[in-house]
Amino acid sequence: EQLPDELRSRVLQAIEHDDKVLVEDILAWPEDSAGGIMQPIAFRLNEKLTCRDAITTLHEKQDDLESIFYLYVENDADQLVGVTSLRALLTNPPSTVLQDIMATDVITASPVDDQEIVARLVSRYDLLAIPVVDENRHMLGIVTIDDVVDVIQEEALEDMMLMAGVGQEPDPSVGGVVGVARQRLTWLLVTLVGGIGMAELIGVFENALAQKAVLAGFIPVMLGMGGNVGIQAATVAVRNIAVGHDQNTSIPSMLYREARIGLILGFAFALTLGGYALVRWYSEPLIALSIAGAIISTVCTAAILGAVVPLTLNRLKVDPAIATGPFVTTGIDLLAILIYFSTAKIILDL
Amino acid sequence: EQLPDELRSRVLQAIEHDDKVLVEDILAWPEDSAGGIMQPIAFRLNEKLTCRDAITTLHEKQDDLESIFYLYVENDADQLVGVTSLRALLTNPPSTVLQDIMATDVITASPVDDQEIVARLVSRYDLLAIPVVDENRHMLGIVTIDDVVDVIQEEALEDMMLMAGVGQEPDPSVGGVVGVARQRLTWLLVTLVGGIGMAELIGVFENALAQKAVLAGFIPVMLGMGGNVGIQAATVAVRNIAVGHDQNTSIPSMLYREARIGLILGFAFALTLGGYALVRWYSEPLIALSIAGAIISTVCTAAILGAVVPLTLNRLKVDPAIATGPFVTTGIDLLAILIYFSTAKIILDL
């Protein structure tokens, strides 16, 4: 419901300003590309103008300009060759030619660049606007920093939704409960299938369970601790990738770090849970030992897997935000059950 | 390791510019407040200056100004009374007095405002900078949009880290594995205590388990589906609060919506899981019925709780991002176990 309005205003803008960019061109770019979010208006000056002439041109064109962030400078072939500012026009002698005061290292975006890339450029170089140019350096428009702010907020929310498997869920006031349920279902089905797999896996250990029914009571804590430690490791890895630490930190060193954290956490849980089991079933100390051993192995495995998956996804150019998704958590769950019952079978000799 | 540098540069800036803001004042504001992120430099002009005089002043002060976003206008008592732009100075007759061309509805921030509030103001009004004023409308500095971009990115990452219980985890290259483990532990202990509670709760149903060992196999899927549906509902609620839908949507209508989604999902899972159980244990159709009934109740409860917690936290002025934290998920887990075994006991007559 927002798009038509936005499109309409962009089209109107383009028509009103009688710009050389064709309306069809603007509408042709994907919605989340630089071309899709750019404004097809930008003030351009020929590089041979003097500061005095440039100011005169500004006076004449004043209605054309909603906001002048930068003054873009073009050569006779209408190619972007530099950038300058209102302040430079004012503070240099009026006869100075733009060529002599402009900065020539202009950072530009291509119209097909993803809006996230544009946001990163604007944010990294602290720009107020970035010009969008085609392959011949003809300016198509500018993306201003206020649009970039919207993009950053949108992308952060998108990542959060992606991590919880709720995708692009629409505005709640719109309704459509069945459609929403169908969308959430896609993600949950993996967990459901994993759950059936776990029922089968636990069935394999039915004899062990029949001998020691108490083992069933620790299934939730094994799954819970494994899952949470894995999600923590994955979130830290996703954060490190997002803020660019991944470049400095090699995968082996990240894994070594997470393995050590997992070991410390695992020992802490083993003491607590094992201590509890020892008090509760003091006549059978092997139960406590078995639970302690299982929780250490599970937590270490989860910490390493949690870190390795987002790092691998990132190398494969897949959005690492999906790493805390159902495939990984279900995988960790299955491993936790396997480790738990195998440890119990060995230690309790079932 | 970043703070001292930043502080030093701010102090140097303040000293170099010999500004009326005292260095001690700048350092006194909390790091994540408007006062903490503002630049204590801002170009100010008296309201009685003409455009010509204003341009002359600009020429004289040119080295003082890193970037001129807006020109702030003050009265004789040094109070902020309006704002204008370089462009307005250029496009109005040189003898025009600033008073006559300035906009007087200046949006300002207080130095104690949280940086998130400042970011929201800048983003909502598409500002390039926001002046920070004290209670007497004396300007203390400006927060520019490039700093706001950093704040937005930082806050989004913070929310993500908060949701996974990893808090303000430092740069991995710094090391300190024990400190990190201790920080993550705080959050995990809730899950651990919840896990012991679950072991006790399952112990209560030990007789039922002894009679039908197959029941243990479905513990993971009950916990998994309940947890995931709850997290999805909570994430959507957190998103809706973040984008401001909460104002339009009442709590009862959100809950009604989530309850219906939960019901649809619950029926879908009941069909799948129940169907599987019916095929697998065809001689005991009541097992399938009991599992189907339990999953519907669990999923509905999880969907409603998942939505109600962030909405309630938001009303209580607590960051709703913690809603997917261990207290809520552990609560849903305990409820899931209780619902599961109670349903089984009733339907299977154990």
Side-chain angles (χ1 to χ4, degrees):
Chain A
E1 74 291 359
Q2 212 185 330
L3 195 65
D5 266 0
E6 207 189 299
L7 278 186
R8 186 148 43 94
S9 80
R10 274 204 257 151
V11 172
L12 285 179
Q13 245 176 16
I15 293 169
E16 272 176 25
H17 293 95
D18 192 23
D19 216 349
K20 48 185 158 181
V21 179
L22 290 172
V23 172
E24 297 91 68
D25 286 347
I26 307 162
L27 300 181
W29 306 112
E31 204 198 332
D32 55 357
S33 70
I37 59 171
M38 76 185 180
Q39 299 164 8
I41 42 157
F43 195 63
R44 291 159 232 175
L45 295 164
N46 188 284
E47 59 183 339
K48 285 169 192 151
L49 284 180
T50 60
C51 285
R52 189 187 303 109
D53 295 338
I55 291 174
T56 312
T57 314
L58 260 171
H59 273 283
E60 284 163 7
K61 293 239 185 181
Q62 57 169 301
D63 287 341
D64 255 40
L65 311 163
E66 200 181 302
S67 54
I68 309 167
F69 298 99
Y70 299 111
L71 299 172
Y72 295 103
V73 185
E74 292 183 333
N75 61 18
D76 289 334
D78 289 340
Q79 291 174 306
L80 179 67
V81 288
V83 65
T84 186
S85 66
L86 254 180
R87 201 183 125 225
L89 295 192
L90 280 179
T91 53
N92 279 290
S95 57
T96 317
V97 176
L98 295 187
Q99 233 169 4
D100 301 330
I101 56 166
M102 70 190 185
T104 53
D105 51 343
V106 191
I107 292 156
T108 60
S110 149
V112 293
D113 282 344
D114 189 90
Q115 60 179 0
E116 228 176 324
I117 292 174
V118 178
R120 218 169 290 150
L121 281 174
V122 169
S123 151
R124 178 170 313 150
Y125 296 104
D126 280 344
L127 302 174
L128 296 177
I130 191 167
V132 181
V133 298
D134 66 16
E135 58 275 14
N136 301 316
R137 291 193 72 80
H138 290 140
M139 267 184 77
L140 302 175
I142 54 168
V143 176
T144 55
I145 193 168
D146 45 305
D147 296 323
V148 166
V149 167
D150 299 339
V151 167
I152 290 173
Q153 284 177 318
E154 196 185 294
E155 298 280 345
L157 281 170
E158 240 179 65
D159 275 4
M160 193 180 83
M161 303 288 275
L162 200 60
M163 283 170 77
V166 279
Q168 298 277 13
E169 198 157 297
D171 188 325
S173 54
V174 178
V177 165
V178 176
V180 168
R182 195 183 298 131
Q183 202 179 2
R184 292 196 198 171
L185 195 61
T186 322
W187 197 84
L188 293 167
L189 279 179
V190 183
T191 314
L192 191 69
V193 172
I196 291 175
M198 263 179 278
E200 287 294 327
L201 188 62
I202 294 175
V204 172
F205 298 100
E206 209 168 310
N207 278 336
L209 262 175
Q211 286 177 62
K212 298 269 177 233
V214 64
L215 288 179
F218 289 90
I219 294 175
V221 80
M222 293 292 156
L223 297 180
M225 301 315 285
N228 282 326
V229 167
I231 285 177
Q232 287 189 336
T235 305
V236 170
V238 168
R239 194 275 311 251
N240 291 344
I241 291 167
V243 299
H245 284 145
D246 185 42
Q247 276 80 43
N248 318 333
T249 325
S250 66
I251 291 190
S253 80
M254 288 280 294
L255 294 190
Y256 176 57
R257 182 184 142 88
E258 282 300 330
R260 281 182 298 157
I261 295 174
L263 211 59
I264 297 171
L265 292 174
F267 266 104
F269 304 150
L271 281 176
T272 324
L273 265 190
Y276 159 74
L278 203 59
V279 172
R280 193 76 170 66
W281 295 275
Y282 57 87
S283 60
E284 298 182 89
L286 285 183
I287 288 183
L289 186 66
S290 152
I291 284 162
I295 195 96
I296 292 181
S297 321
T298 301
V299 164
C300 278
T301 311
I304 294 171
L305 267 183
V308 84
V309 173
L311 293 171
T312 312
L313 287 176
N314 189 47
R315 293 290 149 103
L316 300 174
K317 311 275 175 211
V318 178
D319 189 339
I322 63 166
T324 56
F327 284 101
V328 180
T329 48
T330 302
I332 292 180
D333 279 355
L334 282 165
L335 269 172
I337 293 290
L338 196 64
I339 292 172
Y340 175 48
F341 280 104
S342 306
T343 313
K345 275 194 80 157
I346 295 165
I347 294 183
L348 297 172
D349 194 26
L350 299 172
Chain B
E1 76 291 359
Q2 213 185 328
L3 196 65
D5 265 0
E6 207 188 299
L7 278 187
R8 186 147 43 93
S9 81
R10 273 204 258 152
V11 173
L12 287 178
Q13 247 176 13
I15 292 169
E16 274 176 23
H17 294 95
D18 191 23
D19 216 348
K20 50 184 156 180
V21 179
L22 291 172
V23 172
E24 297 90 69
D25 285 347
I26 306 163
L27 300 181
W29 306 112
E31 206 198 330
D32 55 357
S33 70
I37 59 171
M38 75 184 181
Q39 299 162 9
I41 41 157
F43 196 63
R44 293 159 229 174
L45 295 165
N46 188 284
E47 60 183 338
K48 286 171 194 148
L49 285 180
T50 61
C51 286
R52 190 188 302 108
D53 297 337
I55 291 173
T56 312
T57 315
L58 261 170
H59 273 283
E60 285 163 5
K61 293 241 183 177
Q62 58 170 302
D63 287 340
D64 254 39
L65 310 164
E66 201 180 302
S67 54
I68 309 168
F69 298 99
Y70 299 112
L71 300 173
Y72 295 102
V73 185
E74 292 183 333
N75 61 17
D76 289 334
D78 290 341
Q79 291 173 305
L80 180 67
V81 288
V83 63
T84 186
S85 65
L86 255 181
R87 203 184 123 223
L89 294 191
L90 282 179
T91 54
N92 279 289
S95 57
T96 317
V97 175
L98 295 186
Q99 233 169 5
D100 301 330
I101 55 165
M102 70 189 185
T104 53
D105 51 343
V106 190
I107 291 156
T108 61
S110 150
V112 293
D113 281 345
D114 189 272
Q115 60 178 0
E116 228 175 324
I117 292 174
V118 178
R120 220 171 288 151
L121 280 174
V122 169
S123 151
R124 179 172 313 151
Y125 296 104
D126 281 345
L127 302 173
L128 296 177
I130 190 166
V132 181
V133 297
D134 66 16
E135 58 276 14
N136 301 316
R137 291 193 72 79
H138 290 139
M139 269 185 77
L140 304 174
I142 54 169
V143 176
T144 55
I145 194 168
D146 46 306
D147 296 324
V148 166
V149 167
D150 299 339
V151 167
I152 290 173
Q153 284 178 318
E154 196 184 292
E155 297 281 344
L157 282 170
E158 241 180 65
D159 275 3
M160 192 178 84
M161 304 287 275
L162 199 61
M163 283 169 77
V166 279
Q168 298 277 13
E169 198 157 298
D171 188 326
S173 55
V174 179
V177 164
V178 176
V180 168
R182 195 183 299 130
Q183 201 179 4
R184 292 195 199 172
L185 195 62
T186 323
W187 198 83
L188 293 167
L189 279 180
V190 182
T191 314
L192 192 68
V193 171
I196 291 176
M198 263 179 278
E200 287 294 327
L201 188 62
I202 294 175
V204 172
F205 297 101
E206 210 169 311
N207 277 337
L209 262 174
Q211 286 178 61
K212 298 271 178 232
V214 64
L215 288 180
F218 289 91
I219 293 176
V221 79
M222 293 292 156
L223 298 180
M225 301 315 286
N228 282 327
V229 167
I231 285 177
Q232 288 188 336
T235 305
V236 170
V238 169
R239 195 273 313 248
N240 290 344
I241 291 168
V243 299
H245 283 146
D246 186 41
Q247 277 78 42
N248 318 333
T249 325
S250 65
I251 291 189
S253 80
M254 288 280 294
L255 294 189
Y256 176 57
R257 183 185 141 88
E258 283 301 330
R260 281 182 299 158
I261 296 175
L263 211 59
I264 297 172
L265 292 173
F267 266 103
F269 304 150
L271 281 175
T272 324
L273 265 190
Y276 159 75
L278 203 59
V279 171
R280 193 76 170 64
W281 296 275
Y282 57 89
S283 60
E284 299 182 86
L286 285 183
I287 288 182
L289 186 66
S290 152
I291 284 161
I295 195 97
I296 291 181
S297 319
T298 301
V299 164
C300 278
T301 310
I304 294 172
L305 267 183
V308 85
V309 173
L311 293 172
T312 311
L313 288 177
N314 190 45
R315 293 288 149 104
L316 299 175
K317 311 277 176 211
V318 178
D319 189 339
I322 64 166
T324 55
F327 285 101
V328 180
T329 49
T330 302
I332 292 180
D333 279 356
L334 281 166
L335 268 173
I337 294 290
L338 196 64
I339 292 172
Y340 176 47
F341 280 103
S342 306
T343 312
K345 276 194 80 158
I346 295 166
I347 294 183
L348 297 172
D349 195 26
L350 299 170

